[in-house]
Amino acid sequence: MGIGRARWLALLVGLAAAAVVTVGASEGEADPVYRACVDECEKTGSLRETSVRHCQVPTDDHPADKSWYAHEPLYLQWKEWNCKSECRYHCMMERESEREQLGLGSVKYHGKWPMKRASVFQEPVSAALSALSLLVQFNGWLSFFLLLSYKLPLRPETQMTYYEYTGLWHIYGLLAMNAWFWRAIYHSCDTFWTEKLYYSSFAAFIGYSLILAILRTLNLKDEASRVMVAAPILAFTTTHILYLNFYELDKDLNTKVCTAASLAQFLLWAVWAVVTKHPSCFKILFVIIGSVFSIVMETYDIPPRWGYVDGRAYCVAISIPLTYLWWKFAKEDAEMSTSAIIKKTSSEV
């Protein structure tokens, strides 16, 4: 192993260790001034001189003690923008402004950093970057599909691709796009259901990514071996998703599970790329190091800057060029494998 590749692996191991250490960071909570503000807002329907639209006293025949948000249209109830949530948001923003004037740093409210809205988007920067990452995923998958289907030669007897992992990469692309779609929705509108869909879709994506990493790095091609590898991982991933959705949405547990699965596949890809001296070795190592760095940033839970950009926004931004490079590796791997199989077939004839 060359000195250069050894340094890359050493850097990867160091970042992976940092990611493991930072998982499970604690969260802050609101202060009494904020709580008093929310209570007063819910009772009066106003915040100082500002009237909270969702807290207006109903003019219909509903009883006065009924929650204000019960009178909202269905689409607003689905978004969970009601009197309580609006009072929390406006009081949070007001309290953060006061803390900034006092020279104090941001604190979390109800387990989340204070983020400014933009129109109907709760986290506009993260939502926009997630949508861009989804677009890059789609472009990468589409270019892979076109390469395999129309540019590389097909087997004459079956008209199937020579590349044995075509179907696995297609499934990977679909799960990746599904995960980034729900992440964009979650950052646009953080509700009970969008949160579950976001965590579930990413858990499924990461679980399948581990399966793909094992099958490709170990060069498993027969169906029996693939089933033996995939079955237990699929069972565990399914159980984990069911636990999150029907028992408890344990975010700390989900972070640990997804981080462990991600680091395992990163290690597999890194060792395989270095040992086999794959032509895309440096692309693979660069993507892995960038991904581990992204995990470290997200687990450190960086406070928001300018009210819009937090640690998750940085992580999504990092994923965009990494996604492009990863699909570039997938295409190069397909081209290399197809060429090798064709040469081997020609020499046997």
Side-chain angles (χ1 to χ4, degrees):
M1 183 187 297
I3 296 177
R5 289 192 174 94
R7 288 177 178 173
W8 279 85
L9 281 178
L11 178 58
L12 171 62
V13 172
L15 287 172
V20 172
V21 170
T22 55
V23 168
S26 61
E27 295 184 352
E29 192 45 86
D31 59 34
V33 177
Y34 163 77
R35 293 180 181 177
C37 174
V38 173
D39 291 340
E40 184 66 21
C41 175
E42 288 187 285
K43 290 177 182 178
T44 63
S46 63
L47 185 64
R48 293 185 178 178
E49 297 179 357
T50 303
S51 177
V52 180
R53 181 171 62 86
H54 296 76
C55 295
Q56 296 304 303
V57 178
T59 57
D60 53 24
D61 297 327
H62 290 287
D65 61 347
K66 192 171 183 180
S67 300
W68 306 125
Y69 55 81
H71 305 281
E72 292 289 350
L74 287 177
Y75 77 94
L76 287 177
Q77 293 184 37
W78 176 81
K79 288 173 71 68
E80 297 180 8
W81 285 13
N82 49 50
C83 180
K84 187 173 185 177
S85 66
E86 289 298 285
C87 284
R88 284 182 173 182
Y89 172 74
H90 289 292
C91 288
M92 176 180 67
M93 290 292 101
E94 183 178 280
R95 184 59 182 145
E96 280 301 295
S97 178
E98 294 173 353
R99 291 179 62 86
E100 184 178 355
Q101 292 175 5
L102 295 172
L104 302 175
S106 296
V107 294
K108 287 186 176 181
Y109 296 82
H110 308 285
K112 297 176 181 178
W113 290 113
M115 302 289 289
K116 294 180 181 179
R117 295 176 184 169
S119 184
V120 297
F121 299 99
Q122 289 181 266
E123 299 179 22
V125 174
S126 294
L129 289 173
S130 296
L132 181 57
S133 185
L134 170 61
L135 182 62
V136 174
Q137 284 282 0
F138 174 74
N139 180 72
W141 169 77
L142 182 61
S143 61
F144 178 82
F145 172 79
L146 294 175
L147 173 69
L148 270 295
S149 300
Y150 299 103
K151 296 181 180 180
L152 294 180
L154 303 175
R155 296 178 187 269
E157 63 276 9
T158 61
Q159 292 301 301
M160 301 292 288
T161 63
Y162 283 96
Y163 188 52
E164 295 92 341
Y165 306 94
T166 302
L168 295 175
W169 277 106
H170 284 324
I171 297 174
Y172 172 89
L174 294 175
L175 287 175
M177 288 185 284
N178 176 68
W180 282 107
F181 171 79
W182 286 114
R183 180 156 191 168
I185 296 297
Y186 168 70
H187 288 307
S188 301
C189 181
D190 181 0
T191 68
F192 174 77
W193 292 108
T194 58
E195 187 175 46
K196 283 194 171 185
L197 287 166
Y198 159 58
Y199 283 108
S200 298
S201 60
F202 257 90
F205 169 56
I206 292 173
Y208 181 80
S209 298
L210 178 59
I211 294 174
L212 175 62
I214 296 173
L215 297 183
R216 181 63 190 99
T217 58
L218 298 183
N219 202 30
L220 300 179
K221 299 177 182 179
D222 61 286
E223 292 300 321
S225 300
R226 291 185 173 186
V227 170
M228 288 179 64
V229 169
I233 299 177
L234 286 175
F236 176 82
T237 303
T238 303
T239 303
H240 177 65
I241 293 173
L242 291 173
Y243 176 87
L244 294 176
N245 283 275
F246 298 105
Y247 185 74
E248 180 185 3
L249 187 59
D250 191 335
K251 298 178 184 178
D252 288 338
L253 173 64
N254 184 66
T255 300
K256 293 174 183 176
V257 170
C258 291
T259 300
S262 298
L263 295 179
Q265 62 182 287
F266 294 160
L267 183 61
L268 284 171
W269 284 117
V271 173
W272 173 75
V274 172
V275 171
T276 61
K277 297 181 180 179
H278 196 279
S280 300
C281 178
F282 287 103
K283 284 190 183 73
I284 296 171
L285 293 178
F286 184 83
V287 170
I288 291 171
I289 292 173
S291 299
V292 174
F293 181 68
S294 176
I295 293 175
V296 172
M297 288 188 65
E298 187 156 8
T299 50
Y300 266 120
D301 208 7
I302 301 173
R305 302 292 296 271
W306 312 292
Y308 293 103
V309 183
D310 62 347
R312 293 191 295 187
Y314 291 122
C315 295
V316 178
I318 292 172
S319 72
I320 295 172
L322 298 184
T323 297
Y324 171 79
L325 289 175
W326 192 244
W327 278 110
K328 196 168 183 62
F329 148 65
K331 290 184 287 185
E332 290 174 355
D333 187 55
E335 290 175 332
M336 183 192 71
S337 298
T338 300
S339 177
I341 293 173
I342 291 176
K343 287 181 180 179
K344 181 178 179 181
T345 305
S346 300
S347 63
E348 292 176 354
V349 175

